[in-house]
Amino acid sequence: ETGVTQSPTHLIKTRGQQVTLRCSSQSGHNTVSWYQQALGQGPQFIFQYYREEENGRGNFPPRFSGLQFPNYSSELNVNALELDDSALYLCASSPQGVYNSPLHFGNGTRLTVT
Amino acid sequence: DQQVKQNSPSLSVQEGRISILNCDYTNSMFDYFLWYKKYPAEGPTFLISISSIKDKNEDGRFTVFLNKSAKHLSLHIVPSQPGDSAVYFCAASGAGNMLTFGGGTRLMVKP
């Protein structure tokens, strides 16, 4: 069984630029979520995708957007990067329709904005 | 406002003793609670969960207790091992499996 994989592992961008992070969900999982973990804090929910549509969003501005593809893989796009966007970005997958199923996380992408 | 809080940023325990990690929540709509463990440079790893219809769930050395009236949950690790040293996050969800995390507790188990 393949787990959640994310790419790249590390990324350095300049303020104002745009970035795309990628995630392949665990085999058999059709729901993908993205979380932002700032240094010293717990992960914060960005949004969730199911059947290629966003079906839940946390308190993040519209410059954070996403996509889910037919094979359940996903992208997180961030436009107009700000210094505060520097964080670990975590992707998680779960099987939809299974009540109270734990999320399985990838190892994350460490984004540094300078 | 922090809906899930872990008030102890760190905890140090001797190997073989019990580790107790605590978590408080404010949102009455939460009905599913989880504990994750995180090592540096890795994503959070699921440890154990509990539904709001239960007050205790056990899995090997790990037990989670839920006190709904106090909006409090705890994770007990017995016996603690050096390999348990990590950051532990509690998380809660209502409908839709969208998790709200606490700020984490760093557990250090000394040999």
Side-chain angles (χ1 to χ4, degrees):
Chain A
E1 182 178 86
T2 310
V4 177
T5 58
Q6 293 185 243
S7 64
T9 54
H10 294 84
L11 203 49
I12 299 174
K13 288 286 190 177
T14 303
R15 191 171 51 183
Q17 285 188 316
Q18 178 265 343
V19 69
T20 298
L21 311 181
R22 294 180 174 83
C23 171
S24 293
S25 62
Q26 182 164 322
S27 176
H29 288 184
N30 53 17
T31 301
V32 174
S33 307
W34 287 90
Y35 288 78
Q36 180 197 65
Q37 186 181 12
L39 203 60
Q41 297 181 24
Q44 274 198 288
F45 173 68
I46 303 175
F47 43 54
Q48 183 181 94
Y49 275 80
Y50 170 63
R51 286 188 173 176
E52 302 172 51
E53 300 232 345
E54 184 182 293
N55 73 340
R57 189 177 185 93
N59 190 24
F60 280 82
R63 60 189 185 85
F64 285 77
S65 63
L67 283 173
Q68 186 184 30
F69 300 99
N71 66 353
Y72 307 134
S73 66
S74 177
E75 286 181 357
L76 164 65
N77 298 290
V78 187
N79 292 323
L81 283 166
E82 301 176 0
L83 297 179
D84 283 349
D85 296 332
S86 296
L88 180 68
Y89 287 86
L90 295 161
C91 173
S93 70
S94 61
Q96 181 71 7
V98 179
Y99 186 65
N100 286 343
S101 171
L103 299 186
H104 297 261
F105 285 86
N107 285 335
T109 294
R110 171 74 59 190
L111 173 65
T112 302
V113 182
T114 62
Chain B
D1 66 330
Q2 271 189 285
Q3 296 188 65
V4 178
K5 270 188 185 177
Q6 294 176 253
N7 288 319
S8 299
S10 66
L11 175 68
S12 184
V13 169
Q14 204 67 36
E15 181 179 6
R17 306 294 289 268
I18 184 171
S19 295
I20 300 176
L21 296 96
N22 293 303
C23 179
D24 296 297
Y25 64 96
T26 56
N27 190 336
S28 303
M29 300 303 291
F30 289 147
D31 64 358
Y32 182 52
F33 304 89
L34 310 92
W35 284 94
Y36 282 84
K37 177 166 86 170
K38 189 177 185 301
Y39 294 118
E42 292 184 14
T45 302
F46 170 70
L47 264 180
I48 191 168
S49 63
I50 187 166
S51 164
S52 60
I53 62 172
K54 293 184 164 186
D55 54 19
K56 177 182 173 181
N57 190 26
E58 212 169 334
D59 184 1
R61 298 187 296 116
F62 302 92
T63 303
V64 56
F65 295 91
L66 175 62
N67 181 334
K68 286 187 292 293
S69 60
K71 293 191 176 69
H72 177 84
L73 65 155
S74 61
L75 174 68
H76 293 210
I77 307 173
V78 182
S80 301
Q81 299 173 354
D84 295 330
S85 297
V87 178
Y88 288 77
F89 292 99
C90 73
S93 75
N97 215 16
M98 298 162 207
L99 300 183
T100 300
F101 282 85
T105 296
R106 182 177 300 279
L107 173 67
M108 291 160 285
V109 180
K110 295 186 272 192

